[in-house]
Amino acid sequence: MSSDFRKVSFDEDHPGARFLADHVFQLEAGCGLLALADGLPNAAKHHVAPRLIRIFADAWRGHVCFHEQVMYPLLKRRYGDQQCERMAIFERQHADISFANDELAETLRMVEMGTVGSDALAYLLRNVAERQRDHLETEHAFFLPTIPEALFPIERKTYSDWVASNPWPLINEKFF
């Protein structure tokens, strides 16, 4: 996937720029999940673990929001129903990974209470990271070839308006 990043470039007000930046951010979040898993059981006792899990979940929500509110509508307008089946698969994956992120937070609480061992949390952390990476690679291969031609001037304005009301990254500030 990294070689694709060098082949394509977008100006900063094109959705493709945010698409690429979001994918890099999501891949780094996945590395963070794996690092947290590698640090268990001690990492679960540290006060930063719940914040990291929440940050990664918030970042994922930002990814889903961007795709549902920007990428999918752009591509549906441009390519019609031929892309809807693939987008439905991505939407299911988004929902599954979001659910897994919620499960991570709940499992961390149970580890902190001593009702579940840290092995269960490590398994979930690795599972979520792998699912995100697989999803991102598939999404990247699917969307990247279509993004450059999917934007008309009016869509660029719509995208700029969306960005103004959805700064990136989307992080829930109540955890800081």
Side-chain angles (χ1 to χ4, degrees):
M1 184 162 65
S2 60
S3 63
D4 289 342
F5 284 104
R6 287 179 280 213
K7 294 178 189 173
V8 179
S9 67
F10 300 99
D11 59 78
E12 67 183 37
D13 64 335
H14 191 287
R18 184 150 172 173
F19 175 85
L20 292 174
D22 175 61
H23 274 218
V24 169
F25 186 69
Q26 294 302 325
L27 290 170
E28 289 299 318
C31 291
L33 291 171
L34 293 173
L36 192 56
D38 290 344
L40 292 174
N42 292 335
K45 297 174 185 163
H46 197 276
H47 69 281
V48 78
R51 288 186 174 146
L52 286 175
I53 288 174
R54 187 84 264 144
I55 288 168
F56 298 146
D58 285 346
W60 185 254
R61 275 192 286 285
H63 169 85
V64 170
C65 178
F66 173 61
H67 279 264
E68 289 179 354
Q69 294 178 11
V70 175
M71 296 306 298
Y72 297 164
L74 273 176
L75 294 172
K76 285 178 183 177
R77 276 194 306 273
R78 178 73 175 184
Y79 299 106
D81 291 337
Q82 69 187 32
Q83 302 297 345
C84 289
E85 185 176 318
R86 177 65 72 133
M87 285 182 240
I89 292 168
F90 291 138
E91 288 170 345
R92 281 193 301 280
Q93 290 174 341
H94 284 165
D96 290 345
I97 294 168
S98 294
F99 177 80
N101 281 328
D102 293 341
E103 190 176 18
L104 270 177
E106 180 59 30
T107 303
L108 177 62
R109 280 191 286 278
M110 293 187 320
V111 167
E112 291 171 332
M113 292 185 309
T115 59
V116 169
S118 61
D119 290 347
L121 181 60
Y123 172 80
L124 285 174
L125 287 163
R126 288 187 176 92
N127 182 275
V128 169
E130 289 171 14
R131 288 168 73 183
Q132 283 180 326
R133 185 194 64 238
D134 292 346
H135 166 78
L136 291 168
E137 287 176 357
T138 305
E139 199 175 65
H140 194 83
F142 177 74
F143 284 113
L144 199 57
T146 60
I147 293 172
E149 57 193 44
L151 195 67
F152 296 115
I154 189 68
E155 292 168 330
R156 191 175 287 252
K157 169 74 170 102
T158 302
Y159 170 70
S160 296
D161 293 345
W162 183 88
V163 167
S165 62
N166 292 280
W168 187 78
L170 298 175
I171 301 293
N172 188 333
E173 294 173 3
K174 75 178 183 178
F175 292 98
F176 294 99

